[in-house]
Amino acid sequence: MSIQVKKNLVSEAKYALKCPNAMSAEYITIHNTANDASAANEISYMIGNTSSTSFHFAVDDKEVIQGLPLNRNAWHTGDGTNGPGNRKSIGVEICYSKSGGPKYEAAEALAISFVAQLLKERGWGIDRVRKHQDWNGKYCPHRILSEGRWDQVKAAIEKELTGAVSAKKAPASEYHVKKGDTLSGIAAAHGVSVKTLQSINHITDPNHITVGQVIKLPQAASSSKSHAASSYPLPSGVIKVTRPLTKGTNVKQVQTALAALYFYPDKGAKNHGIDGVYGPKTANAVKRFQSVSGLTADGIYGPKTKAEIEKKL
Ligand SMILES: [Zn+2]
C-alpha cells in the first residue's frame, strides 16, 4: 500500500531563497525537527518564512507533506552551497522529536515506510540513506542518535524495502536464477539439498545453471512453515567472531537459516557467503537480524537469537 503525499509546495517566487538549484537526487537525508509541531505546520512555516532553510518532506504521526519539488535542492544539511547533502539529497524531517513519545514514534514509523517507498520508487538501496550528521556533523536526527537507534532505523527501512520485494515473490514454489547464483547457494537459501534440486529439475551438472532459468522448489521448502522450521536445524550455545575464526557445521546452520530469512552473510559471494566460517560478514548478518527483531544487535549468536530465528522461519 503506497503512502499518499500531500503537497503544499513553496511558490516559485521563493525558489531563489529556498531551492535555487536544479537537482538530480542521489541520497535521502533523515532529520528530526527538534520541535513539537505537526508536519502541516512545519511545512507551512518553512515555505512561508524568510530564512533559506528548507527541506522536501515533513512526516508526522498521520501524514507526509511535501514542501519543495524533488527536482530542486534544499538547504538542510549545513554542508555549504555545493555540498552533496544540500545539492544531491532529499530532506525528510521527522516531526515531534523534541518531546518524543507515542506521537513521535508513530511519525518515525511512518517516515521509515515513506523512505522505503522513496527508495523503491527509485530502485535505490539502503546505502542511499544518510543522517544529517553524516554531512556536517550536526547532532541530527537528535532523538534517533541519543537513543542509539540509527542502525535500527536503517535496518527497519531495509526490512520494509526487501520485505516488499520478497512479499511479491511469496509463496515461492520456484526460483528464477539471477546473475551470480549457484545451485548450492539456492539450495542453502531454501533449506534443501543440491541433490534434491538436481533431481526435481533434472539438472545433471550442478555447476551449470543459467541466468533466468526457473528452478522448481520442493513443496516443503516453499509452502509449509512447520516443515520449513524443521529443515533448518540450529545449534545451541554461543557463536561469535573469534581469532582464529570459528568454523563448522553449526556455523553453516546459522548462515543457512539467516539466508532463508534474506539476511545473507554475503549476498554477492558464492553461496551467499554460506561457508561455515563465523567471520565479520556473518556477524553482520546476525546483527542486522537482531536489530530488526528488537534484540541487542551485537552480532553474537546465542539462545535469544536462535529462538527468534526459529520463530521467523
Ligand atoms: Zn537535521
Side-chain angles (χ1 to χ4, degrees), residues 2-51:
S2 72
I3 298 161
Q4 298 299 314
V5 176
K6 266 196 204 167
K7 288 187 185 185
N8 183 14
L9 297 179
V10 69
S11 71
E12 280 187 41
K14 289 188 109 169
Y15 275 15
L17 177 69
K18 295 287 178 179
C19 53
N21 304 294
M23 177 174 82
S24 172
E26 292 176 16
Y27 308 97
I28 296 170
T29 302
I30 294 183
H31 304 267
N32 277 164
T33 57
N35 208 343
D36 282 334
S38 67
N41 285 348
E42 292 288 356
I43 291 288
S44 68
Y45 177 73
M46 184 275 288
I47 63 171
N49 67 24
T50 53
S51 145

Side-chain angles (χ1 to χ4, degrees), residues 37-237:
S38 67
N41 285 348
E42 292 288 356
I43 291 288
S44 68
Y45 177 73
M46 184 275 288
I47 63 171
N49 67 24
T50 53
S51 145
S52 61
T53 302
S54 59
F55 45 89
H56 296 91
F57 297 102
V59 184
D60 67 15
D61 55 333
K62 299 196 173 62
E63 58 190 358
V64 179
I65 306 195
Q66 182 178 359
L68 300 185
L70 293 180
N71 59 1
R72 311 288 313 172
N73 84 301
W75 302 121
H76 59 122
T77 60
D79 61 344
T81 315
N82 294 312
N86 277 332
R87 296 294 293 275
K88 295 214 168 285
S89 87
I90 297 169
V92 177
E93 289 276 359
I94 308 176
C95 297
Y96 300 132
S97 68
K98 188 179 175 191
S99 299
K103 265 163 88 171
Y104 172 76
E105 285 160 25
E108 189 185 283
L110 182 57
I112 285 168
S113 302
F114 177 61
V115 170
Q117 178 173 307
L118 288 175
L119 293 173
K120 208 173 141 202
E121 285 168 358
R122 287 162 179 73
W124 290 354
I126 191 69
D127 57 310
R128 303 293 189 121
V129 176
R130 297 286 189 277
K131 53 187 184 310
H132 180 170
Q133 188 184 44
D134 295 333
W135 300 116
N136 76 333
K138 186 180 171 180
Y139 198 69
C140 176
H142 73 96
R143 182 163 288 280
I144 294 172
L145 293 174
S146 67
E147 293 173 3
R149 296 186 300 101
W150 175 244
D151 284 345
Q152 193 185 320
V153 167
K154 259 173 60 169
I157 295 168
E158 194 175 17
K159 193 189 173 194
E160 294 233 6
L161 190 64
T162 53
V165 172
S166 60
K168 253 195 235 159
K169 284 186 208 151
S173 56
E174 54 183 44
Y175 179 86
H176 296 253
V177 176
K178 290 175 192 63
K179 201 174 167 219
D181 276 341
T182 60
L183 197 62
S184 53
I186 297 166
H190 293 92
V192 297
S193 71
V194 173
K195 283 224 154 42
T196 306
L197 288 186
Q198 276 186 267
S199 77
I200 303 177
N201 293 284
H202 312 289
I203 297 169
T204 43
D205 183 352
N207 296 318
H208 276 95
I209 54 170
T210 51
V211 173
Q213 185 177 346
V214 178
I215 306 283
K216 280 186 214 146
L217 300 170
Q219 282 310 309
S222 59
S223 58
S224 164
K225 273 212 154 196
S226 56
H227 276 116
S230 62
S231 52
Y232 298 103
L234 282 165
S236 306

